[in-house]
Amino acid sequence: MVEADDKTEFDNNLISNLTRTTLTTEELNRRVGNLLVVAVLVAGVTFAGAITVPGSGSDRNSGISKNLMRLYICFDMLGMNCSLIAAIILCRISLGRASDDVTSSMELATCYNFYSLLCMGLAYTCILAITVQERRTGFFRDIITLQAFFLFIQLFYSFGLILSTAFKALAFLLANLFKFKAGMKRRMYHVRTSLMGRE
């Protein structure tokens, strides 16, 4: 038999879990709007970064600067695409066309927003490193050292989220791979039987 203290604790946990998972329409619209603002801002910044590539370009022919510029463009491209995917998912939610659970779609959009912000920070670090390569003054060396410290803090706080989303993505890919194989086998069976029926 459950004691009174245990029962109230159980009821409190149950109520807190229910309030955490069920969202009203107003809360859902507010969360979708907030995430959509972040996604659109990151998309705009990364788009501007691709059009007007920063840096004076005076020492762009050195090998290190070329590699850093390639990294900058890759991170900028990844940040742009992650933010656009997040924005598309959020638009589907707001239109009521999310194929799966709304909560899981919101989590997916939040993860894409997280990775777009991370890529934007990495692209910014690459541009600062290019500036240090071009100018080679003490001030810019101090700035890139400070930026490396901040990047380390970002990665430190992001490490758990990176691991959890990587494991979720791997599990999702493996589960859908088996579903895809089973679906292809069913289709091949139906095609084979329909062709044999025509003969």
Side-chain angles (χ1 to χ4, degrees), residues 8-87:
T8 55
E9 186 180 346
F10 173 76
D11 290 340
N12 289 335
N13 288 336
L14 184 63
I15 290 167
S16 65
N17 287 336
L18 283 174
T19 54
R20 205 179 303 132
T21 55
T22 57
L23 294 172
T24 63
T25 307
E26 184 181 338
E27 289 174 341
L28 179 67
N29 289 336
R30 190 170 60 244
R31 289 185 185 185
V32 167
N34 291 340
L35 288 172
L36 195 55
V37 166
V38 174
V40 170
L41 282 174
V42 173
V45 168
T46 51
F47 179 77
I51 291 176
T52 57
V53 177
S56 63
S58 59
D59 193 20
R60 203 55 71 71
N61 293 326
S62 71
I64 296 174
S65 292
K66 278 185 179 178
N67 291 333
L68 286 170
M69 184 53 68
R70 287 177 185 146
L71 278 175
Y72 166 77
I73 291 170
C74 286
F75 286 132
D76 191 71
M77 185 248 332
L78 285 172
M80 172 81 169
N81 286 296
C82 285
S83 61
L84 286 178
I85 292 169

Side-chain angles (χ1 to χ4, degrees), residues 13-187:
N13 288 336
L14 184 63
I15 290 167
S16 65
N17 287 336
L18 283 174
T19 54
R20 205 179 303 132
T21 55
T22 57
L23 294 172
T24 63
T25 307
E26 184 181 338
E27 289 174 341
L28 179 67
N29 289 336
R30 190 170 60 244
R31 289 185 185 185
V32 167
N34 291 340
L35 288 172
L36 195 55
V37 166
V38 174
V40 170
L41 282 174
V42 173
V45 168
T46 51
F47 179 77
I51 291 176
T52 57
V53 177
S56 63
S58 59
D59 193 20
R60 203 55 71 71
N61 293 326
S62 71
I64 296 174
S65 292
K66 278 185 179 178
N67 291 333
L68 286 170
M69 184 53 68
R70 287 177 185 146
L71 278 175
Y72 166 77
I73 291 170
C74 286
F75 286 132
D76 191 71
M77 185 248 332
L78 285 172
M80 172 81 169
N81 286 296
C82 285
S83 61
L84 286 178
I85 292 169
I88 290 167
I89 292 170
L90 293 166
C91 287
R92 286 175 58 85
I93 292 171
S94 64
L95 291 172
R97 296 185 181 172
S99 57
D100 52 349
D101 187 25
V102 173
T103 308
S104 63
S105 296
M106 290 274 288
E107 285 179 4
L108 189 63
T110 306
C111 287
Y112 276 113
N113 266 344
F114 161 72
Y115 280 111
S116 68
L117 289 170
L118 201 60
C119 288
M120 197 167 64
L122 290 167
Y124 178 72
T125 305
C126 291
I127 282 302
L128 277 182
I130 289 172
T131 307
V132 169
Q133 286 291 318
E134 291 173 357
R135 306 230 169 121
R136 299 179 190 276
T137 61
F139 172 74
F140 285 104
R141 287 179 187 161
D142 294 341
I143 289 294
I144 194 63
T145 305
L146 192 60
Q147 174 60 24
F149 173 71
F150 283 129
L151 183 65
F152 174 75
I153 293 174
Q154 293 168 19
L155 292 174
F156 176 76
Y157 282 112
S158 305
F159 185 71
L161 190 56
I162 290 170
L163 278 183
S164 65
T165 52
F167 285 133
K168 280 183 185 176
L170 186 63
F172 176 78
L173 287 174
L174 289 175
N176 283 329
L177 181 67
F178 292 127
K179 286 181 186 175
F180 179 73
K181 282 184 177 179
M184 287 301 291
K185 283 183 181 178
R186 278 196 303 272
R187 286 186 193 124

